[in-house]
Amino acid sequence: MMIKTKDIQVHIEQLLLDPNNYRLFGEKEVASIPDSDAEGLQDVTLDKLKGQRLGELKDSIRNHGFLEMERMVVRLLDTTENKEQKDDSKKKFIVVEGNRRAAALKSLEKNAGVTLSEKMKNLNVILIEGDKEEIKLYSATLMGIRHVSGPKKWDGFQSAKLINDLYIDGKSYTEIGDILGISSREAGRRYRGYKAFEQMRSHPEFRDKVEPRHYGLLLEFLSPSKKGKEWLEWDDAKFSFENEERLKAVYKAITPSVDDELEIKNPGDARKFVSLLDTEYVSDLEQGESIHGMPEPQDLKETGKLKRIQSFISFVEKNSFSPEEYDRLNDLKESIENKMED
């Protein structure tokens, strides 16, 4: 990768918020916005970023000034007019890393009665240079270090969207893991979760009820060590659940009902639902019974023991045994009697 970086100083008005910032992706699929439209969408992008907890950041800037310990990372706006601009002070740059900080400064600048210092207006930033693919890969690596495996983690849905985009670009799970600092297995798990989310988003009955939180709930049904994948008949070639009837039962459980009650409110509820699939309660779940009147996961171990005991009793009743096997059964009988006495 022939990427280059250099330190430059730009005025805040030269910085454009990224309308494709992963923080802004929600339940609706939005096509990637070209650079030619980015400048015209700055007010919309700023309004969206105001929903990303800018209040505390703005208060910190007001009280302590703007600290440049972590400089913003930018790239040149990819339009012919901008690239041919001879006056460096008029060139525009898309913020790659640091959109919240840029949005906080721009928001303060728009506030009546707030005057930004020259230091806040003229910012030292890091410019990344290279071809389009090199910049895209570098940006993904940077976001992975900071927001997927790093200290300022995004919500799971946002990291899954990034993994999906890298997969579409032809990257393997191993390559994605190397870029983002996670294991290839984790990259694959999150990709499948995103595809399950996309499947719900395309469902004619539930697509208008989809929220980013549903990604995390559906992910619980894809755990390789649990029953969810089997019960919903996950197809790893199609990246979709194939049992439509059961899938609708899950969708109904994770979306509001007429009285706005949610059957599955959080990943803990989803894990309980999946745990119950391996018990005698599975038929109740399939009939729409509430999980909240059923045993908690930690109590299901006892239920599992009872099932194994009953299974063994049936096995003994249905079979005949050799003398050696009867000796072992007598040993078992003594062990059971001792347990009963205790």
Side-chain angles (χ1 to χ4, degrees), residues 171-182:
K171 301 290 188 296
S172 68
Y173 294 147
T174 299
E175 290 172 319
I176 293 171
D178 289 342
I179 291 168
L180 302 182
I182 58 177

Side-chain angles (χ1 to χ4, degrees), residues 183-201:
S183 69
S184 58
R185 182 175 181 178
E186 180 63 14
R189 186 181 78 92
R190 296 191 196 187
Y191 176 72
R192 285 187 285 272
Y194 189 81
K195 298 306 288 185
F197 176 85
E198 281 192 323
Q199 183 180 3
M200 182 178 179
R201 188 167 54 194

Side-chain angles (χ1 to χ4, degrees), residues 249-290:
V250 171
Y251 289 167
K252 287 179 181 178
I254 64 179
T255 53
S257 59
V258 177
D259 54 4
D260 290 327
E261 283 296 318
L262 284 172
E263 177 68 14
I264 296 178
K265 303 180 182 68
N266 50 54
D269 288 343
R271 284 191 288 273
K272 179 177 180 178
F273 190 105
V274 174
S275 297
L276 289 164
L277 294 174
D278 205 21
T279 71
E280 64 267 30
Y281 294 98
V282 63
S283 59
D284 296 325
L285 292 174
E286 291 174 347
Q287 293 171 18
E289 294 292 327
S290 172

Side-chain angles (χ1 to χ4, degrees), residues 279 281 294-306:
T279 71
Y281 294 98
M294 299 178 191
E296 294 300 317
Q298 61 268 25
D299 299 327
L300 293 174
K301 292 179 181 178
E302 294 302 318
T303 302
K305 288 178 183 178
L306 289 172

Side-chain angles (χ1 to χ4, degrees), residues 30-292:
V30 179
S32 181
I33 296 167
D35 276 17
S36 56
D37 295 338
E39 193 164 4
L41 292 171
Q42 287 302 289
D43 288 341
V44 174
T45 305
L46 178 58
D47 285 343
K48 288 182 178 180
L49 280 165
K50 285 178 181 178
Q52 298 295 320
R53 303 187 296 276
L54 287 189
E56 292 181 7
L57 187 52
K58 288 164 64 177
D59 289 342
S60 175
I61 292 172
R62 282 196 197 96
N63 297 330
H64 308 293
F66 185 73
L67 304 178
E68 291 189 339
M69 295 170 58
E70 296 183 23
R71 283 176 293 168
M72 285 181 267
V73 180
V74 304
R75 63 174 175 81
L76 189 66
L77 180 71
D78 189 16
T79 64
T80 301
E81 180 183 1
N82 192 59
K83 288 189 287 188
E84 292 178 351
Q85 174 62 251
K86 302 300 182 183
D87 186 348
D88 287 346
S89 67
K90 293 182 179 180
K91 287 183 177 179
K92 301 290 185 179
F93 301 88
I94 292 277
V95 179
V96 172
E97 175 61 33
N99 275 275
R100 284 183 69 247
R101 284 169 282 162
L105 287 170
K106 287 177 177 288
S107 182
L108 284 170
E109 188 182 35
K110 288 178 178 289
N111 287 354
V114 176
T115 302
L116 296 181
S117 67
E118 286 304 310
K119 184 179 179 181
M120 292 184 194
K121 290 182 180 179
N122 295 290
L123 302 163
N124 295 312
V125 300
I126 298 172
L127 173 67
I128 55 177
E129 297 177 311
D131 64 34
K132 189 176 293 187
E133 287 306 310
E134 289 169 343
I135 290 175
K136 186 174 183 178
L137 182 57
Y138 182 91
S139 301
T141 303
L142 181 62
M143 287 184 281
I145 291 170
R146 292 181 60 80
H147 302 301
V148 178
S149 60
K152 298 184 177 181
K153 287 186 171 61
W154 284 330
D155 292 338
F157 172 78
Q158 293 160 343
S159 65
K161 176 72 171 73
L162 174 57
I163 288 168
N164 176 70
D165 290 350
L166 289 170
Y167 190 89
I168 289 173
D169 283 344
K171 301 290 188 296
S172 68
Y173 294 147
T174 299
E175 290 172 319
I176 293 171
D178 289 342
I179 291 168
L180 302 182
I182 58 177
S183 69
S184 58
R185 182 175 181 178
E186 180 63 14
R189 186 181 78 92
R190 296 191 196 187
Y191 176 72
R192 285 187 285 272
Y194 189 81
K195 298 306 288 185
F197 176 85
E198 281 192 323
Q199 183 180 3
M200 182 178 179
R201 188 167 54 194
S202 66
H203 195 283
E205 185 177 342
F206 295 93
R207 60 189 174 199
D208 293 331
K209 300 180 180 180
V210 176
E211 301 173 15
R213 67 182 183 85
H214 290 140
Y215 160 79
L217 301 182
L218 292 169
L219 199 60
E220 295 296 331
F221 290 84
L222 287 166
S223 172
S225 60
K226 295 180 181 176
K227 196 78 174 177
K229 288 174 73 174
E230 179 184 331
W231 186 68
L232 290 175
E233 298 176 19
W234 174 259
D235 188 323
D236 221 15
K238 297 179 180 178
F239 293 109
S240 64
F241 295 115
E242 295 298 295
N243 192 310
E244 175 68 16
E245 185 178 350
R246 291 173 178 174
L247 187 59
K248 284 183 68 173
V250 171
Y251 289 167
K252 287 179 181 178
I254 64 179
T255 53
S257 59
V258 177
D259 54 4
D260 290 327
E261 283 296 318
L262 284 172
E263 177 68 14
I264 296 178
K265 303 180 182 68
N266 50 54
D269 288 343
R271 284 191 288 273
K272 179 177 180 178
F273 190 105
V274 174
S275 297
L276 289 164
L277 294 174
D278 205 21
T279 71
E280 64 267 30
Y281 294 98
V282 63
S283 59
D284 296 325
L285 292 174
E286 291 174 347
Q287 293 171 18
E289 294 292 327
S290 172
I291 62 170
H292 300 295

